[in-house]
């Protein structure tokens, strides 16, 4: 195979494109997470950065509205090296980042004292410009069954 200048050019170009794909959310898993009320859950959101992702790191978790009449609700935010966790009153004191240092690639959160009203679709959004990534996951919290 002849190594023509154009072949070298396109090989280098495609290599560069692959390297420049930027921030990637590496956590997979698409099945709904089932929990009973009162339990805790870790919602996974691991990410990797690329060298060109040099902007400030922002991590935003929101509870996605079930219909388009309602707004998504921010539940916790990491921005400018700080954690802001008092966005969503129904979850006050029950939502925390799993890692003490989310910028190392762990944007996961823990929810404690689960209630059936915590059920819904959660979205993890990680931004470090020009890199951006997001992942959605469904949480189902079963209520208590009282049998007598
Ligand atoms: C989050 O949950 C995981 C799994 O249940 C647990 O190992 C970890 O200690 C928790 N982290 C915090 C900060 O509560």
């Amino acid at each position: 195979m002849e190594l023509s200048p154009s072949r070298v050019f396109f090989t280098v170009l495609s290599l560069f494109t692959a390297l420049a794909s930027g921030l990637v959310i590496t956590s997979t898993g698409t099945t709904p997470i089932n929990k009973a009320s009162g339990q805790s859950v870790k919602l996974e959101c691991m990410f990797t950065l690329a060298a060109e992702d040099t902007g400030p790191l922002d991590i935003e978790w929101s509870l996605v509205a079930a219909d388009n009449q309602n707004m998504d609700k921010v539940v916790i935010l990491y921005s400018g090296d700080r954690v802001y966790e008092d966005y969503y009153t129904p979850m006050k004191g029950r939502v925390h980042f799993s890692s003490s240092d989310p910028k190392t690639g762990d944007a996961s959160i823990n929810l404690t004292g689960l209630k059936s009203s915590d059920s819904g679709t959660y979205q993890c959004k990680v931004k470090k410009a020009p890199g951006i990534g997001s992942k959605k996951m469904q949480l189902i919290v079963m209520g208590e069954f009282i049998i007598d």
Side-chain angles (χ1 to χ4, degrees):
M1 187 173 72
E2 184 202 346
L3 270 178
S4 67
S6 71
R7 184 179 293 275
V8 171
F9 173 78
F10 284 109
T11 304
V12 170
L13 186 75
S14 61
L15 204 81
F16 180 77
T17 311
L19 290 174
S21 59
L23 192 156
V24 175
I25 308 275
T26 54
S27 294
T28 51
T30 47
T31 51
I33 304 158
N34 285 286
K35 289 286 169 184
S37 66
Q39 288 188 314
S40 300
V41 68
K42 181 176 179 181
L43 301 180
E44 296 259 0
C45 187
M46 305 294 288
F47 63 92
T48 56
L49 298 170
E52 81 279 2
D53 296 333
T54 53
L57 177 67
D58 276 307
I59 300 166
E60 181 190 299
W61 277 90
S62 51
L63 186 50
V64 180
D67 57 61
N68 52 20
Q69 304 294 308
N70 289 303
M71 305 256 275
D72 296 351
K73 294 176 187 82
V74 174
V75 295
I76 193 167
L77 185 71
Y78 176 93
S79 183
D81 252 326
R82 278 191 57 189
V83 172
Y84 301 85
E85 50 184 33
D86 286 338
Y87 275 92
Y88 186 51
T89 316
M91 245 172 232
K92 197 170 162 66
R94 299 191 296 117
V95 56
H96 306 282
F97 280 103
S98 306
S99 167
S100 55
D101 196 9
K103 68 171 173 294
T104 57
D106 188 355
S108 309
I109 55 169
N110 283 20
L111 301 178
T112 58
L114 287 172
K115 301 174 181 180
S116 50
S117 55
D118 296 333
S119 297
T121 301
Y122 288 79
Q123 176 170 253
C124 160
K125 202 190 289 175
V126 182
K127 276 186 272 185
K128 191 165 170 56
I132 187 160
S134 67
K135 178 182 189 266
K136 283 182 185 174
M137 62 211 79
Q138 200 189 342
L139 174 67
I140 301 163
V141 183
M142 257 82 69
E144 286 133 275
F145 299 96
I146 297 156
I147 303 158
D148 50 23

